[in-house]
Amino acid sequence: MLATPAPLVSIPPGQLRPLVPSLEPAKPIEVGAFRLERHAVTNTDFLAFVKAQPGWRRDRVKPLFAGPEFLGHWSAPLEVDGAHARAPVTRVSYFAARAYCGWRDRRLPTVAEWEYVAAASASHADARAQPGFDKQILDWSRKPAPEVPRAVESAGPNFYGVHDMHGLVWEWTSDFNSELVATELGGDASLVRNLFCGDHGSVVSDPADYAAFMRVAFRGSLEASYTVANLGFRCAADEDEP
Amino acid sequence: MTTLLLLPLLLAGPSTAPLPGTSLYQLDAAWTDQHGRATKLADLRGRVVLVAMVFTNCRYACPRMVERMKRVEAALSPTERRRMRFLLVSLDPARDTVPVLAAFAKNSQINLGWWTLLRGAPDAVRELSAALGVRYKQVDSGDLAHANLLTMLDAGGSVAHQQEGLESDVNPMLIAVRAELARTGDTKPK
């Protein structure tokens, strides 16, 4: 199968309500125009990268850049079986995801960019207030991950024409490590309180947005070398690039 | 045959041997120091490094982090200090320009014989923060919320010891630094 990179979809600028406000009243986050890959990077896509940059073979990668499970589901260091070919690549570290996007002259999306696109349903740019939207995502995240994720784009596109923001795998973002946990806020007790005390409903901007809060917690648990079975990625690009 | 092939490596000393797989010196990003000089992390190879990620506009946590590092510095002999590098890497390269870093060094009364301040591209900062495990975020006020993490890198650039927070005892860090200085005592830094 020819490993052409996923097409980029243009995303118009807009605003994202912050999920976790800081001490000041929550200001919307401005998201500039950018482009996002239509689907997650597949195993076939990633194989082309590893062939071009053999330092990323699972038997050669340095431990700084990836944990021991790196690409552990491949049948050999340079071999992907048919069942995985169109499935999103998983068991990839942050460093590997970054390097892949760099190789494509692209980059990882920021958390804000990713969440902005993930707020869309098939019919609405911001579906977070739509009945059932949150529940559908939560139902997916509660289900055990299948042995092999289904192929990318086997579910329909969202409002922007982007597939599988939900219901397939979790995805790396460029600033995944900007989700702070309580011990890391420099002893600022009020900020800690604002983030974590009481019931979640009082700190999350939109109590219906519990699924997004789960992603915050998930990102907060990651380290850059982690290679998780249901964590993949897709790349982004600036709008003005060729 | 094998011995002959290895010989040039051995003669050239430790700085040309392959880096350990866990070494942060595999990160190839370009940095600029407080004098405006271009540098790479790998230039620190052979030294014992204490590194913290800070920003100079920070009024509370960052000066206290510098104090913690100074406490380790003060406990070492002059000879030991010369084999160390106390490294402050800015989380805020937009505001922490070279002159700002130089002024911060002066105001903090740190000895640039063995202290270095670095700024880099946002992407380099994010990459290093990910490798060290320093979480940080721009907050609405324009400031940065960040982990107060002090890391010791061994002579090969691998993370050897980490301490989180501003309250804990620095002695375990000092012990780790001394152990590494003793272990690498025969190897002169460049």
Side-chain angles (χ1 to χ4, degrees), chain A residues 48-59:
Chain A
F49 164 66
V50 175
K51 282 179 173 168
Q53 303 211 349
W56 290 101
R57 286 169 57 123
R58 70 181 184 196
D59 53 347

Side-chain angles (χ1 to χ4, degrees), chain B residues 74-91:
Chain B
L76 299 173
S77 73
T79 320
E80 287 173 320
R81 281 175 205 157
R82 276 185 212 104
R83 296 179 48 221
M84 295 281 301
R85 188 62 64 186
F86 296 81
L87 185 64
L88 299 170
V89 181
S90 174
L91 289 166

Side-chain angles (χ1 to χ4, degrees), chain A:
Chain A
M1 188 177 297
L2 191 67
T4 49
L8 290 162
V9 175
S10 286
I11 310 294
Q15 292 186 327
L16 177 71
R17 274 173 298 133
L19 179 69
V20 181
S22 61
L23 293 179
E24 297 157 41
K27 277 186 292 197
I29 299 162
E30 298 291 337
V31 178
F34 71 107
R35 294 180 296 165
L36 187 64
E37 287 185 350
R38 198 168 74 195
H39 61 74
V41 172
T42 65
N43 285 293
T44 303
D45 295 334
F46 202 81
L47 178 60
F49 164 66
V50 175
K51 282 179 173 168
Q53 303 211 349
W56 290 101
R57 286 169 57 123
R58 70 181 184 196
D59 53 347
R60 295 192 194 164
V61 73
K62 303 291 189 240
L64 178 72
F65 297 122
E69 296 298 312
F70 181 58
L71 301 176
H73 57 292
W74 286 13
S75 30
L78 291 176
E79 198 176 303
V80 171
D81 68 41
H84 286 93
R86 284 287 293 164
V89 67
T90 57
R91 296 188 178 87
V92 280
S93 65
Y94 171 71
F95 292 113
R98 256 175 127 258
Y100 173 91
C101 293
W103 177 68
R104 293 282 195 206
D105 286 324
R106 295 177 183 177
R107 59 175 173 82
L108 286 172
T110 64
V111 172
E113 288 170 340
W114 197 95
E115 287 292 333
Y116 177 69
V117 176
S121 66
S123 53
H124 291 75
D126 188 350
R128 290 178 297 177
Q130 302 292 314
F133 181 69
D134 197 58
K135 186 176 178 304
Q136 208 179 350
I137 300 168
L138 283 173
D139 286 348
W140 163 65
S141 54
R142 281 197 195 98
K143 269 189 288 185
E147 184 85 6
V148 181
R150 62 176 169 74
V152 297
E153 294 190 305
S154 49
N158 75 3
F159 178 82
Y160 299 107
V162 171
H163 294 255
D164 311 314
M165 295 301 282
H166 306 289
L168 188 55
V169 288
W170 304 91
E171 295 184 13
W172 285 109
T173 45
S174 60
D175 53 345
F176 78 95
N177 67 342
S178 62
E179 310 289 11
L180 303 173
V181 298
T183 56
E184 295 173 320
L185 291 166
D188 187 337
S190 52
L191 190 51
V192 172
R193 210 163 33 243
N194 204 44
L195 288 182
F196 287 100
C197 289
D199 62 330
H200 293 154
S202 65
V203 295
V204 177
S205 298
D206 182 349
D209 212 359
Y210 193 78
F213 190 81
M214 283 186 53
R215 290 193 294 276
V216 170
F218 179 69
R219 287 181 201 118
S221 73
L222 293 174
E223 298 287 348
S225 65
Y226 281 13
T227 46
V228 180
N230 59 346
L231 174 60
F233 70 102
R234 71 181 75 208
C235 310
D238 294 341
E239 185 54 287
D240 56 353
E241 282 174 12

Side-chain angles (χ1 to χ4, degrees), chain B residues 63-104:
Chain B
R64 295 180 64 197
M65 179 58 84
V66 173
E67 284 310 312
R68 289 176 71 73
M69 293 168 76
K70 280 185 176 177
R71 263 187 271 162
V72 176
E73 179 191 19
L76 299 173
S77 73
T79 320
E80 287 173 320
R81 281 175 205 157
R82 276 185 212 104
R83 296 179 48 221
M84 295 281 301
R85 188 62 64 186
F86 296 81
L87 185 64
L88 299 170
V89 181
S90 174
L91 289 166
D92 187 12
R95 287 189 290 181
D96 284 340
T97 58
V98 167
V100 169
L101 292 183
F104 182 82

